[in-house]
Amino acid sequence: MSAKLEKKHRLVVNLASKQDNVLKSVRLRKGKIEACNGIAYICKEIDYSGDELLINAEDLKKCKANPKDGSVLVEKADPYLFIIGDREHYPATPITGTYPNLDEWLYKEDAPVLQVTISKTQLSSILKSLSSEEEQISFSFFDTTEPIRFEVGDNTRGLLMPLKSKRRE
């Protein structure tokens, strides 16, 4: 059983937990690759139909990707797991454990109370302008046509214009 992880799929490793007491893994399951850190979760669609695998995030990070297409190959040959990149063949650390099932929230059928679309580039610029000491960002939404206000600590405030937004009727 194998899965080709393109660069866009491998980026989920950036969200995998870095804490010692938390499972530091990426989950590969039918049609999805996921990572979480206890607070945030990300899921991307992928062409994979094999059994569920927990892949050590550190193993995935250290494997150099194929320079032609930026991918790595995950190979499962019971009981072994390998990550294959650019002329590298890493044995991966076996991981067992459970991963949270967040499909109930991820694929909710209910319409959201408020849906706002913002620019990833602009949000990234805002995050880069903050000090590493500032951990929490508070977002305030006043109306679907007004800027989103954000506050960080007691001394930083800003505005971000939504690209589009809608409120549940």
Side-chain angles (χ1 to χ4, degrees), residues 108 110-118 141 143-146 148 162-169:
K108 254 186 171 179
D110 299 344
V113 175
L114 177 67
Q115 184 175 27
V116 178
T117 304
I118 59 175
F141 301 87
D143 194 272
T144 56
T145 59
E146 292 184 18
I148 302 161
L163 298 175
K164 60 182 177 179
S165 58
K166 64 180 178 181
R167 184 184 308 273
R168 184 171 63 191
E169 298 295 325

PDB file of all heavy atoms in Angstrom, residues 108 110-118 141 143-146 148 162-169:
ATOM      1  N   LYS A 108     -20.506  19.605   8.643  1.00  0.00           N
ATOM      2  CA  LYS A 108     -21.840  19.976   9.126  1.00  0.00           C
ATOM      3  C   LYS A 108     -22.708  20.447   7.972  1.00  0.00           C
ATOM      4  O   LYS A 108     -22.259  21.207   7.119  1.00  0.00           O
ATOM      5  CB  LYS A 108     -21.733  21.110  10.135  1.00  0.00           C
ATOM      6  CG  LYS A 108     -21.960  20.697  11.533  1.00  0.00           C
ATOM      7  CD  LYS A 108     -21.968  21.913  12.437  1.00  0.00           C
ATOM      8  CE  LYS A 108     -22.417  21.414  13.786  1.00  0.00           C
ATOM      9  NZ  LYS A 108     -22.456  22.422  14.772  1.00  0.00           N
ATOM     10  N   ASP A 110     -25.589  22.139   8.491  1.00  0.00           N
ATOM     11  CA  ASP A 110     -26.226  23.400   8.873  1.00  0.00           C
ATOM     12  C   ASP A 110     -25.503  24.574   8.227  1.00  0.00           C
ATOM     13  O   ASP A 110     -24.285  24.559   8.067  1.00  0.00           O
ATOM     14  CB  ASP A 110     -26.166  23.605  10.390  1.00  0.00           C
ATOM     15  CG  ASP A 110     -26.895  22.510  11.158  1.00  0.00           C
ATOM     16  OD1 ASP A 110     -27.685  21.780  10.536  1.00  0.00           O
ATOM     17  OD2 ASP A 110     -26.665  22.393  12.370  1.00  0.00           O
ATOM     18  N   ALA A 111     -26.273  25.595   7.890  1.00  0.00           N
ATOM     19  CA  ALA A 111     -25.658  26.813   7.360  1.00  0.00           C
ATOM     20  C   ALA A 111     -24.956  27.540   8.496  1.00  0.00           C
ATOM     21  O   ALA A 111     -25.482  27.611   9.608  1.00  0.00           O
ATOM     22  CB  ALA A 111     -26.728  27.711   6.742  1.00  0.00           C
ATOM     23  N   PRO A 112     -23.771  28.077   8.255  1.00  0.00           N
ATOM     24  CA  PRO A 112     -23.086  28.808   9.327  1.00  0.00           C
ATOM     25  C   PRO A 112     -23.839  30.090   9.675  1.00  0.00           C
ATOM     26  O   PRO A 112     -24.540  30.659   8.841  1.00  0.00           O
ATOM     27  CB  PRO A 112     -21.722  29.128   8.721  1.00  0.00           C
ATOM     28  CG  PRO A 112     -21.898  29.012   7.255  1.00  0.00           C
ATOM     29  CD  PRO A 112     -23.020  28.059   7.017  1.00  0.00           C
ATOM     30  N   VAL A 113     -23.682  30.532  10.903  1.00  0.00           N
ATOM     31  CA  VAL A 113     -24.300  31.785  11.342  1.00  0.00           C
ATOM     32  C   VAL A 113     -23.700  32.954  10.574  1.00  0.00           C
ATOM     33  O   VAL A 113     -24.384  33.863  10.146  1.00  0.00           O
ATOM     34  CB  VAL A 113     -24.104  31.974  12.868  1.00  0.00           C
ATOM     35  CG1 VAL A 113     -24.618  33.326  13.314  1.00  0.00           C
ATOM     36  CG2 VAL A 113     -24.796  30.857  13.621  1.00  0.00           C
ATOM     37  N   LEU A 114     -22.379  32.911  10.371  1.00  0.00           N
ATOM     38  CA  LEU A 114     -21.674  33.952   9.634  1.00  0.00           C
ATOM     39  C   LEU A 114     -20.525  33.292   8.892  1.00  0.00           C
ATOM     40  O   LEU A 114     -19.784  32.499   9.469  1.00  0.00           O
ATOM     41  CB  LEU A 114     -21.143  35.020  10.595  1.00  0.00           C
ATOM     42  CG  LEU A 114     -20.322  36.150   9.989  1.00  0.00           C
ATOM     43  CD1 LEU A 114     -21.180  37.027   9.088  1.00  0.00           C
ATOM     44  CD2 LEU A 114     -19.691  36.992  11.097  1.00  0.00           C
ATOM     45  N   GLN A 115     -20.400  33.598   7.630  1.00  0.00           N
ATOM     46  CA  GLN A 115     -19.298  33.066   6.842  1.00  0.00           C
ATOM     47  C   GLN A 115     -18.542  34.235   6.219  1.00  0.00           C
ATOM     48  O   GLN A 115     -19.135  35.082   5.555  1.00  0.00           O
ATOM     49  CB  GLN A 115     -19.816  32.137   5.744  1.00  0.00           C
ATOM     50  CG  GLN A 115     -18.705  31.490   4.952  1.00  0.00           C
ATOM     51  CD  GLN A 115     -19.261  30.485   3.948  1.00  0.00           C
ATOM     52  OE1 GLN A 115     -20.382  30.590   3.487  1.00  0.00           O
ATOM     53  NE2 GLN A 115     -18.441  29.516   3.615  1.00  0.00           N
ATOM     54  N   VAL A 116     -17.228  34.284   6.477  1.00  0.00           N
ATOM     55  CA  VAL A 116     -16.398  35.374   6.000  1.00  0.00           C
ATOM     56  C   VAL A 116     -15.223  34.793   5.229  1.00  0.00           C
ATOM     57  O   VAL A 116     -14.570  33.863   5.697  1.00  0.00           O
ATOM     58  CB  VAL A 116     -15.881  36.231   7.180  1.00  0.00           C
ATOM     59  CG1 VAL A 116     -14.977  37.338   6.690  1.00  0.00           C
ATOM     60  CG2 VAL A 116     -17.040  36.797   7.984  1.00  0.00           C
ATOM     61  N   THR A 117     -14.957  35.331   4.058  1.00  0.00           N
ATOM     62  CA  THR A 117     -13.803  34.917   3.254  1.00  0.00           C
ATOM     63  C   THR A 117     -12.783  36.048   3.302  1.00  0.00           C
ATOM     64  O   THR A 117     -13.113  37.196   3.012  1.00  0.00           O
ATOM     65  CB  THR A 117     -14.230  34.654   1.792  1.00  0.00           C
ATOM     66  OG1 THR A 117     -15.277  33.676   1.792  1.00  0.00           O
ATOM     67  CG2 THR A 117     -13.076  34.164   0.966  1.00  0.00           C
ATOM     68  N   ILE A 118     -11.550  35.683   3.703  1.00  0.00           N
ATOM     69  CA  ILE A 118     -10.481  36.678   3.777  1.00  0.00           C
ATOM     70  C   ILE A 118      -9.303  36.220   2.925  1.00  0.00           C
ATOM     71  O   ILE A 118      -9.208  35.051   2.555  1.00  0.00           O
ATOM     72  CB  ILE A 118     -10.033  36.939   5.230  1.00  0.00           C
ATOM     73  CG1 ILE A 118      -9.530  35.657   5.879  1.00  0.00           C
ATOM     74  CG2 ILE A 118     -11.145  37.565   6.048  1.00  0.00           C
ATOM     75  CD1 ILE A 118      -8.968  35.851   7.265  1.00  0.00           C
ATOM     76  N   PHE A 141     -16.499  40.647  14.474  1.00  0.00           N
ATOM     77  CA  PHE A 141     -17.268  40.782  13.238  1.00  0.00           C
ATOM     78  C   PHE A 141     -18.512  41.612  13.572  1.00  0.00           C
ATOM     79  O   PHE A 141     -19.320  41.212  14.393  1.00  0.00           O
ATOM     80  CB  PHE A 141     -17.698  39.407  12.713  1.00  0.00           C
ATOM     81  CG  PHE A 141     -16.541  38.491  12.436  1.00  0.00           C
ATOM     82  CD1 PHE A 141     -16.002  37.696  13.437  1.00  0.00           C
ATOM     83  CD2 PHE A 141     -15.983  38.429  11.170  1.00  0.00           C
ATOM     84  CE1 PHE A 141     -14.931  36.843  13.180  1.00  0.00           C
ATOM     85  CE2 PHE A 141     -14.906  37.589  10.908  1.00  0.00           C
ATOM     86  CZ  PHE A 141     -14.390  36.797  11.920  1.00  0.00           C
ATOM     87  N   ASP A 143     -20.549  43.409  10.979  1.00  0.00           N
ATOM     88  CA  ASP A 143     -21.555  43.275   9.931  1.00  0.00           C
ATOM     89  C   ASP A 143     -20.875  42.637   8.727  1.00  0.00           C
ATOM     90  O   ASP A 143     -19.651  42.685   8.610  1.00  0.00           O
ATOM     91  CB  ASP A 143     -22.138  44.654   9.564  1.00  0.00           C
ATOM     92  CG  ASP A 143     -23.404  44.514   8.733  1.00  0.00           C
ATOM     93  OD1 ASP A 143     -23.275  44.438   7.491  1.00  0.00           O
ATOM     94  OD2 ASP A 143     -24.499  44.454   9.312  1.00  0.00           O
ATOM     95  N   THR A 144     -21.652  42.090   7.830  1.00  0.00           N
ATOM     96  CA  THR A 144     -21.076  41.410   6.668  1.00  0.00           C
ATOM     97  C   THR A 144     -20.396  42.356   5.697  1.00  0.00           C
ATOM     98  O   THR A 144     -19.623  41.932   4.849  1.00  0.00           O
ATOM     99  CB  THR A 144     -22.156  40.602   5.918  1.00  0.00           C
ATOM    100  OG1 THR A 144     -23.215  41.484   5.561  1.00  0.00           O
ATOM    101  CG2 THR A 144     -22.681  39.470   6.770  1.00  0.00           C
ATOM    102  N   THR A 145     -20.679  43.672   5.805  1.00  0.00           N
ATOM    103  CA  THR A 145     -20.073  44.622   4.873  1.00  0.00           C
ATOM    104  C   THR A 145     -18.985  45.485   5.515  1.00  0.00           C
ATOM    105  O   THR A 145     -18.417  46.344   4.855  1.00  0.00           O
ATOM    106  CB  THR A 145     -21.149  45.561   4.290  1.00  0.00           C
ATOM    107  OG1 THR A 145     -21.776  46.245   5.372  1.00  0.00           O
ATOM    108  CG2 THR A 145     -22.175  44.779   3.482  1.00  0.00           C
ATOM    109  N   GLU A 146     -18.702  45.257   6.794  1.00  0.00           N
ATOM    110  CA  GLU A 146     -17.710  46.077   7.500  1.00  0.00           C
ATOM    111  C   GLU A 146     -16.399  45.315   7.676  1.00  0.00           C
ATOM    112  O   GLU A 146     -16.368  44.086   7.645  1.00  0.00           O
ATOM    113  CB  GLU A 146     -18.253  46.480   8.879  1.00  0.00           C
ATOM    114  CG  GLU A 146     -19.424  47.432   8.787  1.00  0.00           C
ATOM    115  CD  GLU A 146     -19.889  47.903  10.156  1.00  0.00           C
ATOM    116  OE1 GLU A 146     -19.131  47.778  11.128  1.00  0.00           O
ATOM    117  OE2 GLU A 146     -21.011  48.402  10.227  1.00  0.00           O
ATOM    118  N   ILE A 148     -13.239  43.533   9.424  1.00  0.00           N
ATOM    119  CA  ILE A 148     -13.076  42.681  10.599  1.00  0.00           C
ATOM    120  C   ILE A 148     -12.015  43.358  11.477  1.00  0.00           C
ATOM    121  O   ILE A 148     -10.933  43.685  10.998  1.00  0.00           O
ATOM    122  CB  ILE A 148     -12.599  41.277  10.193  1.00  0.00           C
ATOM    123  CG1 ILE A 148     -13.591  40.643   9.221  1.00  0.00           C
ATOM    124  CG2 ILE A 148     -12.359  40.403  11.422  1.00  0.00           C
ATOM    125  CD1 ILE A 148     -13.009  39.487   8.428  1.00  0.00           C
ATOM    126  N   PRO A 162     -12.960  41.889   4.519  1.00  0.00           N
ATOM    127  CA  PRO A 162     -13.331  40.571   3.979  1.00  0.00           C
ATOM    128  C   PRO A 162     -13.451  40.643   2.458  1.00  0.00           C
ATOM    129  O   PRO A 162     -13.778  41.687   1.894  1.00  0.00           O
ATOM    130  CB  PRO A 162     -14.691  40.300   4.624  1.00  0.00           C
ATOM    131  CG  PRO A 162     -15.227  41.633   5.005  1.00  0.00           C
ATOM    132  CD  PRO A 162     -14.045  42.532   5.228  1.00  0.00           C
ATOM    133  N   LEU A 163     -13.139  39.535   1.793  1.00  0.00           N
ATOM    134  CA  LEU A 163     -13.328  39.466   0.342  1.00  0.00           C
ATOM    135  C   LEU A 163     -14.798  39.290   0.024  1.00  0.00           C
ATOM    136  O   LEU A 163     -15.324  39.848  -0.921  1.00  0.00           O
ATOM    137  CB  LEU A 163     -12.521  38.310  -0.239  1.00  0.00           C
ATOM    138  CG  LEU A 163     -11.009  38.410  -0.051  1.00  0.00           C
ATOM    139  CD1 LEU A 163     -10.327  37.151  -0.569  1.00  0.00           C
ATOM    140  CD2 LEU A 163     -10.470  39.636  -0.761  1.00  0.00           C
ATOM    141  N   LYS A 164     -15.466  38.474   0.851  1.00  0.00           N
ATOM    142  CA  LYS A 164     -16.920  38.336   0.736  1.00  0.00           C
ATOM    143  C   LYS A 164     -17.423  37.771   2.054  1.00  0.00           C
ATOM    144  O   LYS A 164     -16.668  37.179   2.827  1.00  0.00           O
ATOM    145  CB  LYS A 164     -17.320  37.441  -0.440  1.00  0.00           C
ATOM    146  CG  LYS A 164     -16.797  36.021  -0.382  1.00  0.00           C
ATOM    147  CD  LYS A 164     -17.216  35.257  -1.614  1.00  0.00           C
ATOM    148  CE  LYS A 164     -16.619  33.856  -1.566  1.00  0.00           C
ATOM    149  NZ  LYS A 164     -16.997  33.053  -2.694  1.00  0.00           N
ATOM    150  N   SER A 165     -18.703  37.975   2.311  1.00  0.00           N
ATOM    151  CA  SER A 165     -19.279  37.456   3.545  1.00  0.00           C
ATOM    152  C   SER A 165     -20.786  37.316   3.386  1.00  0.00           C
ATOM    153  O   SER A 165     -21.393  37.935   2.515  1.00  0.00           O
ATOM    154  CB  SER A 165     -18.952  38.378   4.720  1.00  0.00           C
ATOM    155  OG  SER A 165     -19.428  39.666   4.471  1.00  0.00           O
ATOM    156  N   LYS A 166     -21.344  36.451   4.238  1.00  0.00           N
ATOM    157  CA  LYS A 166     -22.806  36.309   4.254  1.00  0.00           C
ATOM    158  C   LYS A 166     -23.227  35.846   5.625  1.00  0.00           C
ATOM    159  O   LYS A 166     -22.506  35.174   6.346  1.00  0.00           O
ATOM    160  CB  LYS A 166     -23.284  35.354   3.162  1.00  0.00           C
ATOM    161  CG  LYS A 166     -22.831  33.924   3.297  1.00  0.00           C
ATOM    162  CD  LYS A 166     -23.368  33.087   2.157  1.00  0.00           C
ATOM    163  CE  LYS A 166     -22.855  31.657   2.271  1.00  0.00           C
ATOM    164  NZ  LYS A 166     -23.316  30.831   1.196  1.00  0.00           N
ATOM    165  N   ARG A 167     -24.415  36.236   6.003  1.00  0.00           N
ATOM    166  CA  ARG A 167     -25.007  35.898   7.288  1.00  0.00           C
ATOM    167  C   ARG A 167     -26.209  34.992   7.039  1.00  0.00           C
ATOM    168  O   ARG A 167     -26.961  35.194   6.088  1.00  0.00           O
ATOM    169  CB  ARG A 167     -25.435  37.168   8.014  1.00  0.00           C
ATOM    170  CG  ARG A 167     -25.983  36.941   9.397  1.00  0.00           C
ATOM    171  CD  ARG A 167     -26.490  38.226  10.023  1.00  0.00           C
ATOM    172  NE  ARG A 167     -25.539  39.312  10.004  1.00  0.00           N
ATOM    173  CZ  ARG A 167     -24.628  39.525  10.939  1.00  0.00           C
ATOM    174  NH1 ARG A 167     -24.530  38.707  11.962  1.00  0.00           N
ATOM    175  NH2 ARG A 167     -23.796  40.553  10.857  1.00  0.00           N
ATOM    176  N   ARG A 168     -26.377  34.006   7.911  1.00  0.00           N
ATOM    177  CA  ARG A 168     -27.547  33.115   7.798  1.00  0.00           C
ATOM    178  C   ARG A 168     -28.812  33.924   8.035  1.00  0.00           C
ATOM    179  O   ARG A 168     -28.900  34.722   8.948  1.00  0.00           O
ATOM    180  CB  ARG A 168     -27.432  31.978   8.808  1.00  0.00           C
ATOM    181  CG  ARG A 168     -28.570  30.977   8.673  1.00  0.00           C
ATOM    182  CD  ARG A 168     -28.373  29.744   9.500  1.00  0.00           C
ATOM    183  NE  ARG A 168     -28.346  30.071  10.923  1.00  0.00           N
ATOM    184  CZ  ARG A 168     -27.992  29.230  11.860  1.00  0.00           C
ATOM    185  NH1 ARG A 168     -27.587  28.017  11.553  1.00  0.00           N
ATOM    186  NH2 ARG A 168     -27.988  29.585  13.119  1.00  0.00           N
ATOM    187  N   GLU A 169     -29.764  33.728   7.173  1.00  0.00           N
ATOM    188  CA  GLU A 169     -31.048  34.443   7.287  1.00  0.00           C
ATOM    189  C   GLU A 169     -31.958  33.770   8.286  1.00  0.00           C
ATOM    190  O   GLU A 169     -31.972  32.637   8.499  1.00  0.00           O
ATOM    191  CB  GLU A 169     -31.755  34.485   5.922  1.00  0.00           C
ATOM    192  CG  GLU A 169     -30.956  35.230   4.871  1.00  0.00           C
ATOM    193  CD  GLU A 169     -30.772  36.706   5.170  1.00  0.00           C
ATOM    194  OE1 GLU A 169     -31.686  37.330   5.739  1.00  0.00           O
ATOM    195  OE2 GLU A 169     -29.719  37.237   4.856  1.00  0.00           O
TER     196      GLU A 169
END
